[in-house]
Amino acid sequence: MSTLDYLFQGFGTALIWYNLIFAFVGVLIGTAVGVLPGIGPMSGVALLIPVTASITSGLSPEQAATSAIILLAGVYYGAMYGGSTTSILLNTPGESSSVVTTLDGYQMAKKGRAGSALSIAAIGSFVAGIVTLLALIFLAKPLSAVALKFGPSEYFSLMLLGLGAVSGLAGKSVTKALIMTVCGLLLGTIGIDSVSGIARFTFDVPWLYQGIEFLTIAVGLFALGEVFKTILEKEEEDGEMARINNLIPSKEEMKESAGPIARGSILGFFVGILPGAGATLASFFSYLLEKKISKNPAKFGTGAIAGVAAPESANNAASGGAMIPLLTMGIPGSGTTAILMGALMMYNVQPGPLLFEDHPQVAWGLIASMFIGNIMLLILNLPLVKVFAKIIQTPKQFLIPMIIAISIFGVYAVQVSMYDLLLLLTCGVLGYFLSKNDYPIAPLVLGLVLGPMVENNLRRALTISNGDYSVFFTRPISMVFLLITALWLIVPFMMKKKGKEVVINVEG
Amino acid sequence: MAIKFDRVASIVFLAVGVLFIVGSRHISSSSYGSVVGPDIFPFVLGGLLVLLSIRLFFEANQSKGAEGNKEKLEYKPFIIIFVATLLYILTLETIGYVITTFLFLLVCFQTMERKKLIMSIIISAAFSGLVYFLFVDVLKGTLPGWPIWF
C-alpha cells in the first residue's frame, strides 16, 4: 500500500466519533495546560496517561492505544498553542517555549494590538503544524526503512546519542544532567531482567518484581513536583490582562508575518527532530534568526509582529518534529516525547521502525488526527481566546488540591497498589527539590523509559559479537552515532570553559 | 542552599552508585547462551554514577558563590498538605475512596486559602462522588469505594 492509502486509512481511524472526541478533549486540555503557568506539557501529559488508560479500557488494545495517543499528543501540541495566549496578554509565559513570545507579544498587546498578535500566533502555529505533518508523512516511510536496517549495536549507539543529547542540553550543569540520566537507567534495571529472567535489586519484595513503574515516577516528579513548588513558593499574581479588540490581522500584518512563519516552521521542524533540542530552543533560535535577517532589528522588542510569528510557529513545528524520531526510530528526543513513548509502551505498542508495519492504525491514525487537531485548535483559539485567557484566573485554592487528587486517583486506577502511591508522593517531594537545585528531571524519565531497551540492545550486540566490545566502533553507523554523542557532550563543555554562554533547554 | 544541597546530593548519589555496584555483584554473572550477564549493565552504571557524583562534589566545592537571596517558602501549608496526602494514601484502601477524597480535598482547599468553605465542601463532594461514579459505575474500574467494615 502506498503512503496515501495509509493516510486515508489513518483518516478513517481518526474520524471515528470517539477519536474525534479524544482529539478534541486532548487539544482542549492542552490549551488549558498551555495557558496555566506551572503546569507544563510534560506534567499535563503524565497526569492524563492514567486517566486515558481508564477511559479507553473498554476498547480493544490497538484501538485503545490509538485513542489514548491521539488524546495525549493533542495535549502536547495543544499546549504549544495555549502558551502564547498568556505570553501576549499577561507577559507571563504559560510554557518555557513561549518565553520569547513575551518580548514582542506583550509590547504589541500594550499598543492595543493584542488581537492581531494572538491571531498571528494561532495562524503561525497552524501553518507550522501542517508543514511538519506533511514532512512527517513524507519522511516516515524512508526513515523507518533506514532504521529497519539497524542492528542492535546501531540501536545501542543511537539510544546513547539520544540520552547524551538530552543530558547535554538539559539544565545548567551537564554533570547533574548525566547523574539524572544514570539514575533513570539504574531505576530501569530494577525488577526481573527480561533477557535472563533473573530478579535484580528486588530484595524479595513482590512489589518490585514488575519493576519501577514509569507512570508513577513521571506523574510524581513532574505533576506533584510542580504542585509542591506552587504551594511552597506562593506567588501573588498581578499584571493586568490586556484587552483584545480586533482579532483579525490587517493585510499588512499578514504580509509581514508570512516570511517569519515559513522560516520559523522549517527551522523549528529541524530543531525538533534533533534529540535534546526542543520547542524552547526552536523558538529561541527562530527569534534570533528573524532579528538577524530583519532590515531594522531595532524594531524587535518593541512589538514587531515577526517576533511573535516566528517563535510561535517554531515551537509548534518543533513539537511536530519531535514526533519523527519517536515514531520512526523509537528514540524520544525530549521529556514529553519520552512520556508519550512510555504511554505507547503501556499499551504494548513499541514505537520504532516496526510501528508503521505492525500498528499502522496507531501510527497513521495519530498523524491524521494531528491534522484534525490542528484545525480544531485554530477554530478553538481564534474566537475562544478570551475564554482561554480566563483559565488563568482559576483559583489555585481549588486547582492545586485537585491536581494531587487526580494524580493519586490516576496512579491507583492503573497500578492498584498503595506502594505506588507512596512512591508517587516521594517522587513529588524529590521532584521539587531536584528541579529547584537545577537537577533536570527529563533525562531521568528518558533514562527510565529507554533503560531496558538500551540494555537489551547492548547485550544482544555483545552476544552476537561474542563479547567483543569493539563491535560498536567497527560498524560505521554505530561509530558515527557514538562520535556525535561524544561531541554533543564535549562541545558545550568546551564552550562553557571558554566562557561562552550556552543555550540550554529548560523544558524537555 | 544550592551548594549545600549539591554536596549532600553528591554523597547520596555516591552511596546509591556503590550500592548498585555491590548489589550487581550478587547477581549471577552470566545467563545461558550469552557471555554478557544481567550484572554488567547495572555494574557499569553504578560505576558511572560514582564517578559523576565525585565530580559533582568537586564542582559544588568550587563554585562557592555567596547566594544569599533566601526565598520565603511557605512551609506550613506544604507540611499540612503533605501530611494530608500521606494520610489519604494510607487510609485509601481501608476507609475507601469517596470519604477519604472528600476529606482530603476539603482539608487542602481550606489550607490553600481560608475562605469559601461552602464552595469547598460542594467541590470536594462533587469531585469524589463524580470520579467514583464515572470510574466504577460507568467504566467498571476497581476502586475501594466505602469503608471495608461497611
Side-chain angles (χ1 to χ4, degrees), chain A residues 352-429:
Chain A
L354 285 174
L355 177 73
F356 288 85
E357 304 268 322
D358 293 349
H359 305 282
Q361 197 199 356
V362 178
W364 292 104
L366 171 65
I367 292 174
S369 89
M370 282 171 77
F371 264 115
I372 298 167
N374 269 298
I375 296 170
M376 282 179 182
L377 277 170
L378 188 68
I379 299 169
L380 270 180
N381 267 273
L382 282 182
L384 291 180
V385 78
K386 285 179 201 173
V387 182
F388 279 120
K390 285 248 163 62
I391 294 180
I392 202 173
Q393 292 162 347
T394 315
K396 283 202 181 125
Q397 184 194 2
F398 298 122
L399 187 68
I400 297 294
M402 254 147 82
I403 293 175
I404 304 180
I406 291 172
S407 29
I408 287 177
F409 161 74
V411 168
Y412 193 84
V414 174
Q415 294 296 107
V416 201
S417 142
M418 207 172 74
Y419 295 107
D420 268 278
L421 293 182
L422 290 172
L423 178 67
L424 174 81
L425 186 61
T426 319
C427 284
V429 178

Coordinates of all heavy atoms in Angstrom, one line a residue, chain A residues 352-429:
Chain A
G352 N 8.9 2.8 16.9 CA 10.1 2.4 16.2 C 9.8 2.1 14.8 O 8.7 2.2 14.3
P353 N 10.8 1.6 14.1 CA 10.6 1.4 12.6 C 9.4 0.4 12.3 O 8.8 0.4 11.3 CB 11.9 0.8 12.2 CG 12.7 0.4 13.4 CD 12.2 1.3 14.5
L354 N 9.2 -0.5 13.3 CA 8.2 -1.5 13.0 C 6.8 -1.0 13.3 O 5.8 -1.7 13.0 CB 8.4 -2.8 13.8 CG 9.6 -3.7 13.3 CD1 9.8 -4.8 14.3 CD2 9.2 -4.2 11.9
L355 N 6.7 0.2 13.9 CA 5.4 0.7 14.3 C 4.5 0.9 13.0 O 3.3 0.5 13.0 CB 5.6 2.1 14.9 CG 4.3 2.8 15.3 CD1 3.7 2.2 16.5 CD2 4.6 4.3 15.6
F356 N 5.1 1.3 11.9 CA 4.3 1.6 10.7 C 3.9 0.3 10.1 O 2.9 0.2 9.3 CB 5.1 2.4 9.7 CG 5.2 3.9 10.2 CD1 6.2 4.3 11.0 CD2 4.3 4.8 9.8 CE1 6.3 5.6 11.5 CE2 4.3 6.1 10.2 CZ 5.4 6.5 11.1
E357 N 4.6 -0.8 10.3 CA 4.3 -2.1 9.8 C 3.3 -2.9 10.7 O 2.3 -3.4 10.2 CB 5.5 -3.0 9.7 CG 6.7 -2.4 8.9 CD 6.6 -2.9 7.4 OE1 6.2 -4.0 7.2 OE2 6.9 -2.0 6.6
D358 N 3.6 -2.8 12.0 CA 2.8 -3.6 12.9 C 1.5 -3.0 13.3 O 0.5 -3.6 13.5 CB 3.6 -4.0 14.2 CG 4.8 -4.9 13.9 OD1 4.8 -5.4 12.8 OD2 5.7 -5.0 14.8
H359 N 1.6 -1.7 13.5 CA 0.4 -0.9 14.0 C 0.1 0.3 13.1 O 0.2 1.4 13.6 CB 0.7 -0.5 15.5 CG 1.0 -1.5 16.4 ND1 0.1 -2.4 16.9 CD2 2.2 -1.9 16.9 CE1 0.7 -3.3 17.7 NE2 2.0 -3.0 17.7
P360 N -0.1 0.0 11.9 CA -0.4 1.2 11.0 C -1.6 2.0 11.5 O -1.6 3.2 11.4 CB -0.7 0.6 9.6 CG -1.1 -0.8 9.9 CD -0.3 -1.2 11.2
Q361 N -2.5 1.4 12.2 CA -3.7 2.1 12.7 C -3.2 3.1 13.7 O -3.7 4.3 13.7 CB -4.6 1.1 13.3 CG -6.0 1.7 13.5 CD -6.8 0.9 14.5 OE1 -6.4 -0.1 15.1 NE2 -8.0 1.4 14.8
V362 N -2.3 2.8 14.6 CA -1.9 3.7 15.6 C -1.1 4.8 15.0 O -1.4 6.0 15.2 CB -1.0 3.0 16.6 CG1 -0.5 4.0 17.7 CG2 -1.7 1.9 17.3
A363 N -0.1 4.5 14.1 CA 0.8 5.5 13.5 C 0.0 6.5 12.7 O 0.1 7.7 12.8 CB 1.9 4.8 12.8
W364 N -0.7 5.9 11.7 CA -1.4 6.8 10.7 C -2.6 7.5 11.3 O -3.0 8.6 11.0 CB -1.7 6.1 9.5 CG -0.5 5.7 8.7 CD1 0.1 4.5 8.6 CD2 0.3 6.6 8.0 NE1 1.2 4.5 7.9 CE2 1.4 5.8 7.5 CE3 0.3 8.0 7.7 CZ2 2.4 6.4 6.7 CZ3 1.3 8.5 6.9 CH2 2.3 7.7 6.4
G365 N -3.2 6.8 12.3 CA -4.4 7.4 13.0 C -3.9 8.6 13.7 O -4.6 9.7 13.7
L366 N -2.7 8.5 14.3 CA -2.2 9.6 15.1 C -1.9 10.8 14.1 O -2.2 12.0 14.4 CB -0.9 9.2 15.8 CG -0.1 10.3 16.5 CD1 -0.9 11.0 17.6 CD2 1.2 9.8 17.0
I367 N -1.2 10.5 13.0 CA -0.8 11.5 12.1 C -2.1 12.2 11.5 O -2.2 13.5 11.5 CB 0.0 10.9 10.9 CG1 1.4 10.5 11.5 CG2 0.2 12.0 9.8 CD1 2.2 9.8 10.5
A368 N -3.1 11.4 11.2 CA -4.3 12.0 10.6 C -5.0 12.9 11.7 O -5.5 14.0 11.4 CB -5.2 11.0 10.1
S369 N -5.0 12.4 12.9 CA -5.7 13.1 14.0 C -4.9 14.4 14.3 O -5.6 15.4 14.8 CB -5.8 12.3 15.2 OG -4.7 12.5 16.1
M370 N -3.6 14.5 14.0 CA -2.9 15.7 14.3 C -3.4 16.8 13.3 O -3.4 18.0 13.6 CB -1.4 15.5 14.2 CG -0.9 14.9 15.5 SD 0.8 14.3 15.4 CE 1.7 15.9 15.5
F371 N -3.7 16.4 12.1 CA -4.3 17.3 11.1 C -5.6 17.9 11.7 O -5.8 19.1 11.7 CB -4.7 16.6 9.8 CG -3.6 16.7 8.7 CD1 -2.9 15.6 8.3 CD2 -3.3 17.9 8.1 CE1 -2.0 15.6 7.3 CE2 -2.4 18.0 7.2 CZ -1.7 16.9 6.7
I372 N -6.4 17.0 12.1 CA -7.7 17.4 12.6 C -7.6 18.2 13.8 O -8.2 19.3 14.0 CB -8.6 16.1 12.9 CG1 -8.8 15.4 11.6 CG2 -9.9 16.5 13.5 CD1 -9.4 14.0 11.7
G373 N -6.7 17.8 14.7 CA -6.4 18.5 15.9 C -6.0 19.9 15.7 O -6.4 20.9 16.4
N374 N -5.1 20.1 14.7 CA -4.6 21.4 14.4 C -5.7 22.3 13.9 O -5.7 23.5 14.2 CB -3.5 21.4 13.4 CG -2.1 21.3 14.0 OD1 -1.7 22.2 14.8 ND2 -1.4 20.2 13.8
I375 N -6.6 21.8 13.1 CA -7.7 22.6 12.6 C -8.6 22.9 13.8 O -9.1 24.1 13.9 CB -8.5 21.8 11.5 CG1 -7.6 21.6 10.3 CG2 -9.8 22.5 11.1 CD1 -8.2 20.6 9.3
M376 N -8.9 22.0 14.7 CA -9.7 22.2 15.8 C -9.1 23.4 16.7 O -9.8 24.3 17.1 CB -9.8 21.0 16.7 CG -10.7 19.9 16.3 SD -10.6 18.6 17.4 CE -11.7 17.4 16.7
L377 N -7.7 23.3 16.8 CA -7.1 24.3 17.6 C -7.2 25.7 17.0 O -7.4 26.7 17.7 CB -5.6 24.0 17.7 CG -5.2 23.0 18.8 CD1 -3.8 22.6 18.7 CD2 -5.5 23.6 20.2
L378 N -7.1 25.8 15.7 CA -7.3 27.1 15.0 C -8.7 27.6 15.3 O -8.8 28.8 15.6 CB -7.0 26.9 13.5 CG -6.9 28.2 12.8 CD1 -5.7 29.0 13.2 CD2 -6.9 28.0 11.3
I379 N -9.7 26.7 15.1 CA -11.0 27.2 15.3 C -11.3 27.5 16.8 O -11.9 28.5 17.1 CB -12.0 26.1 14.9 CG1 -11.8 25.8 13.4 CG2 -13.4 26.5 15.1 CD1 -12.5 24.6 12.9
L380 N -10.7 26.7 17.7 CA -10.9 27.0 19.1 C -10.3 28.3 19.5 O -10.8 29.0 20.3 CB -10.3 25.9 19.9 CG -11.1 24.6 20.3 CD1 -10.2 23.7 21.1 CD2 -12.3 25.1 21.1
N381 N -9.0 28.5 19.0 CA -8.2 29.5 19.5 C -8.6 30.9 19.1 O -8.5 31.9 19.8 CB -6.8 29.3 19.2 CG -6.1 28.5 20.3 OD1 -5.6 29.1 21.3 ND2 -6.1 27.2 20.3
L382 N -9.1 31.0 17.8 CA -9.4 32.4 17.4 C -10.6 33.0 18.1 O -10.4 34.0 18.7 CB -9.5 32.4 15.8 CG -8.2 32.3 15.1 CD1 -8.3 32.4 13.6 CD2 -7.3 33.4 15.6
P383 N -11.7 32.4 18.0 CA -12.9 33.0 18.7 C -12.9 32.9 20.2 O -13.4 33.7 20.9 CB -14.1 32.4 18.1 CG -13.6 31.1 17.5 CD -12.2 31.1 17.3
L384 N -12.3 31.8 20.7 CA -12.4 31.5 22.1 C -11.3 31.9 23.0 O -11.1 31.6 24.1 CB -12.6 30.0 22.3 CG -13.9 29.4 21.8 CD1 -14.0 27.9 22.1 CD2 -15.1 30.1 22.5
V385 N -10.4 32.7 22.3 CA -9.2 33.1 23.1 C -9.5 33.8 24.4 O -8.8 33.6 25.4 CB -8.2 33.9 22.1 CG1 -8.7 35.3 22.0 CG2 -6.8 33.8 22.6
K386 N -10.5 34.6 24.4 CA -10.9 35.3 25.6 C -11.3 34.3 26.7 O -11.0 34.5 27.9 CB -12.1 36.2 25.3 CG -11.6 37.4 24.6 CD -12.8 38.3 24.3 CE -12.5 39.2 23.1 NZ -13.6 40.0 22.6
V387 N -12.0 33.2 26.3 CA -12.4 32.2 27.3 C -11.1 31.6 27.9 O -11.0 31.4 29.1 CB -13.3 31.2 26.7 CG1 -13.7 30.2 27.7 CG2 -14.5 31.9 26.0
F388 N -10.2 31.2 27.0 CA -9.0 30.6 27.5 C -8.2 31.4 28.4 O -7.6 31.0 29.3 CB -8.1 30.1 26.3 CG -8.6 28.8 25.7 CD1 -9.0 28.8 24.4 CD2 -8.7 27.7 26.5 CE1 -9.5 27.6 23.8 CE2 -9.2 26.5 25.9 CZ -9.6 26.5 24.6
A389 N -8.1 32.7 28.0 CA -7.3 33.6 28.9 C -7.9 33.7 30.3 O -7.2 33.9 31.2 CB -7.3 35.0 28.2
K390 N -9.2 33.4 30.4 CA -9.8 33.4 31.7 C -9.4 32.2 32.6 O -9.4 32.3 33.8 CB -11.4 33.3 31.5 CG -12.0 34.6 31.1 CD -12.8 35.2 32.2 CE -13.1 36.7 32.0 NZ -13.9 36.9 30.7
I391 N -8.9 31.2 31.9 CA -8.5 30.0 32.7 C -7.4 30.3 33.7 O -7.4 29.8 34.7 CB -8.0 28.9 31.7 CG1 -9.1 28.4 30.8 CG2 -7.4 27.7 32.4 CD1 -8.7 27.3 29.8
I392 N -6.6 31.3 33.3 CA -5.5 31.6 34.2 C -6.0 32.1 35.5 O -5.3 32.1 36.5 CB -4.6 32.7 33.5 CG1 -3.2 32.6 34.2 CG2 -5.2 34.1 33.5 CD1 -2.2 33.5 33.5
Q393 N -7.3 32.6 35.5 CA -7.8 33.1 36.8 C -8.5 32.0 37.7 O -9.0 32.3 38.7 CB -8.9 34.2 36.5 CG -8.3 35.4 35.9 CD -9.3 36.3 35.2 OE1 -10.4 35.9 35.0 NE2 -8.9 37.5 34.9
T394 N -8.4 30.7 37.2 CA -8.8 29.6 38.0 C -8.2 29.7 39.4 O -7.0 29.8 39.5 CB -8.4 28.3 37.4 OG1 -8.7 28.3 36.0 CG2 -9.2 27.1 38.1
P395 N -9.0 29.8 40.4 CA -8.3 29.9 41.7 C -7.4 28.7 42.1 O -7.8 27.6 41.9 CB -9.5 30.0 42.7 CG -10.7 29.5 42.0 CD -10.4 29.7 40.5
K396 N -6.2 29.0 42.5 CA -5.3 28.0 42.9 C -5.8 27.2 44.0 O -5.5 26.0 44.2 CB -3.9 28.6 43.2 CG -3.2 29.0 42.0 CD -1.7 29.1 42.3 CE -0.9 29.6 41.1 NZ -0.1 30.7 41.3
Q397 N -6.6 27.8 44.9 CA -7.2 27.1 46.0 C -7.8 25.8 45.6 O -7.6 24.8 46.3 CB -8.2 28.1 46.7 CG -8.8 27.5 47.9 CD -10.0 28.3 48.3 OE1 -10.5 29.2 47.6 NE2 -10.6 27.9 49.5
F398 N -8.5 25.8 44.5 CA -9.2 24.6 44.1 C -8.3 23.7 43.1 O -8.4 22.5 43.1 CB -10.5 24.9 43.5 CG -11.4 25.6 44.4 CD1 -12.0 26.8 44.1 CD2 -11.8 25.0 45.6 CE1 -12.8 27.4 45.0 CE2 -12.6 25.6 46.5 CZ -13.1 26.8 46.2
L399 N -7.5 24.4 42.3 CA -6.8 23.7 41.3 C -5.7 22.8 41.8 O -5.6 21.6 41.5 CB -6.2 24.8 40.3 CG -5.5 24.2 39.1 CD1 -6.6 23.6 38.2 CD2 -4.7 25.3 38.4
I400 N -4.9 23.3 42.8 CA -3.8 22.5 43.3 C -4.2 21.2 44.0 O -3.7 20.2 43.6 CB -2.9 23.4 44.2 CG1 -2.4 24.6 43.4 CG2 -1.8 22.6 44.9 CD1 -1.4 24.3 42.4
P401 N -5.1 21.3 44.9 CA -5.5 20.0 45.6 C -6.1 19.1 44.6 O -5.9 17.8 44.7 CB -6.5 20.5 46.6 CG -6.2 21.9 46.9 CD -5.7 22.4 45.6
M402 N -6.8 19.6 43.6 CA -7.4 18.7 42.6 C -6.4 18.0 41.8 O -6.6 16.8 41.4 CB -8.4 19.5 41.7 CG -9.8 19.1 42.2 SD -11.0 20.3 42.0 CE -11.5 20.3 40.4
I403 N -5.3 18.7 41.5 CA -4.2 18.0 40.7 C -3.7 16.8 41.5 O -3.4 15.8 41.0 CB -3.1 19.0 40.3 CG1 -3.7 20.0 39.3 CG2 -2.0 18.3 39.7 CD1 -2.7 21.1 38.9
I404 N -3.5 17.1 42.8 CA -3.0 16.0 43.7 C -4.0 14.8 43.7 O -3.6 13.7 43.5 CB -2.8 16.5 45.1 CG1 -1.8 17.7 45.2 CG2 -2.2 15.3 46.0 CD1 -1.6 18.2 46.6
A405 N -5.2 15.2 43.8 CA -6.3 14.1 43.8 C -6.3 13.3 42.5 O -6.4 12.1 42.5 CB -7.6 14.7 44.2
I406 N -6.1 14.1 41.4 CA -6.2 13.4 40.1 C -5.0 12.5 40.0 O -5.1 11.3 39.5 CB -6.3 14.4 39.0 CG1 -7.6 15.1 39.0 CG2 -6.1 13.7 37.6 CD1 -7.7 16.3 38.0
S407 N -3.8 13.0 40.4 CA -2.6 12.1 40.2 C -2.7 10.8 41.1 O -2.4 9.8 40.7 CB -1.3 12.8 40.5 OG -1.5 13.9 41.3
I408 N -3.3 11.0 42.3 CA -3.4 9.8 43.2 C -4.4 8.9 42.6 O -4.2 7.7 42.5 CB -3.8 10.2 44.6 CG1 -2.6 10.9 45.3 CG2 -4.3 9.1 45.4 CD1 -2.8 11.4 46.6
F409 N -5.6 9.4 42.1 CA -6.6 8.6 41.5 C -6.0 7.8 40.3 O -6.2 6.6 40.1 CB -7.8 9.4 41.1 CG -8.6 8.7 40.1 CD1 -9.5 7.7 40.4 CD2 -8.6 9.1 38.7 CE1 -10.2 7.0 39.5 CE2 -9.4 8.5 37.8 CZ -10.2 7.4 38.2
G410 N -5.3 8.6 39.5 CA -4.8 8.0 38.2 C -3.8 6.9 38.5 O -3.9 5.8 37.9
V411 N -2.9 7.1 39.4 CA -1.9 6.1 39.6 C -2.5 4.9 40.3 O -2.2 3.7 39.9 CB -0.7 6.6 40.5 CG1 0.2 5.5 41.0 CG2 0.1 7.6 39.7
Y412 N -3.5 5.1 41.2 CA -4.1 4.0 41.8 C -5.0 3.2 40.8 O -5.0 2.0 40.9 CB -5.0 4.5 43.0 CG -5.4 3.3 43.9 CD1 -4.5 2.8 44.9 CD2 -6.6 2.7 43.7 CE1 -4.9 1.7 45.7 CE2 -7.0 1.6 44.5 CZ -6.1 1.1 45.5 OH -6.5 0.1 46.2
A413 N -5.6 3.9 39.9 CA -6.5 3.2 39.0 C -5.7 2.3 38.1 O -6.2 1.2 37.7 CB -7.2 4.2 38.1
V414 N -4.5 2.7 37.8 CA -3.7 1.8 36.9 C -2.9 0.8 37.7 O -2.8 -0.4 37.3 CB -2.7 2.7 36.0 CG1 -1.8 1.8 35.2 CG2 -3.5 3.6 35.1
Q415 N -2.4 1.1 38.8 CA -1.5 0.2 39.5 C -2.1 -0.6 40.6 O -1.6 -1.6 41.0 CB -0.3 1.0 40.1 CG 0.6 1.7 39.1 CD 1.3 0.7 38.3 OE1 1.0 0.5 37.1 NE2 2.3 0.0 38.9
V416 N -3.2 0.0 41.1 CA -3.9 -0.6 42.3 C -3.0 -1.1 43.4 O -2.9 -2.2 43.8 CB -4.8 -1.8 41.9 CG1 -5.9 -2.0 42.9 CG2 -5.5 -1.5 40.6
S417 N -2.1 -0.2 43.8 CA -1.2 -0.5 44.8 C -0.8 0.7 45.7 O -0.6 1.8 45.2 CB 0.1 -1.0 44.2 OG 1.2 -0.6 44.8
M418 N -0.9 0.5 47.0 CA -0.6 1.6 47.9 C 0.9 2.0 47.8 O 1.3 3.1 48.0 CB -0.9 1.2 49.3 CG -1.3 2.3 50.2 SD -1.9 1.7 51.7 CE -0.4 1.2 52.5
Y419 N 1.8 1.0 47.6 CA 3.2 1.3 47.5 C 3.5 2.3 46.4 O 4.3 3.1 46.5 CB 4.0 0.0 47.2 CG 3.9 -1.0 48.4 CD1 3.1 -2.1 48.3 CD2 4.5 -0.7 49.6 CE1 3.0 -3.0 49.3 CE2 4.4 -1.6 50.6 CZ 3.7 -2.8 50.5 OH 3.6 -3.6 51.5
D420 N 2.7 2.1 45.3 CA 3.0 3.0 44.2 C 2.6 4.5 44.6 O 3.2 5.4 44.2 CB 2.1 2.6 42.9 CG 2.9 1.7 42.0 OD1 3.7 2.3 41.2 OD2 2.8 0.5 42.1
L421 N 1.5 4.6 45.4 CA 1.1 5.9 45.9 C 2.2 6.5 46.8 O 2.5 7.7 46.7 CB -0.2 5.8 46.6 CG -1.4 5.4 45.7 CD1 -2.7 5.4 46.5 CD2 -1.6 6.4 44.6
L422 N 2.8 5.7 47.6 CA 3.8 6.2 48.5 C 5.0 6.6 47.6 O 5.6 7.7 47.9 CB 4.2 5.1 49.5 CG 3.2 4.8 50.6 CD1 3.6 3.6 51.4 CD2 3.0 6.0 51.5
L423 N 5.3 5.8 46.6 CA 6.4 6.2 45.7 C 6.1 7.5 45.0 O 7.0 8.3 44.8 CB 6.6 5.0 44.7 CG 7.7 5.3 43.7 CD1 9.1 5.3 44.3 CD2 7.7 4.2 42.6
L424 N 4.8 7.6 44.6 CA 4.4 8.8 43.9 C 4.6 10.1 44.8 O 5.2 11.1 44.4 CB 2.9 8.7 43.7 CG 2.2 9.9 43.1 CD1 2.4 10.0 41.6 CD2 0.7 9.8 43.3
L425 N 4.3 10.0 46.1 CA 4.4 11.1 47.0 C 5.9 11.4 47.2 O 6.3 12.6 47.1 CB 3.8 10.8 48.3 CG 3.7 11.9 49.3 CD1 3.0 13.1 48.8 CD2 3.1 11.4 50.6
T426 N 6.7 10.4 47.3 CA 8.2 10.5 47.5 C 8.7 11.2 46.3 O 9.5 12.2 46.4 CB 8.9 9.2 47.7 OG1 8.1 8.4 48.5 CG2 10.2 9.3 48.2
C427 N 8.3 10.8 45.1 CA 8.8 11.4 43.9 C 8.4 12.8 43.8 O 9.2 13.7 43.2 CB 8.3 10.6 42.6 SG 9.1 9.1 42.4
G428 N 7.2 13.1 44.3 CA 6.8 14.5 44.2 C 7.7 15.4 45.0 O 8.2 16.5 44.5
V429 N 8.0 15.0 46.2 CA 8.9 15.8 47.1 C 10.3 15.9 46.4 O 10.9 16.9 46.3 CB 9.0 15.2 48.5 CG1 10.0 16.0 49.3 CG2 7.7 15.2 49.1

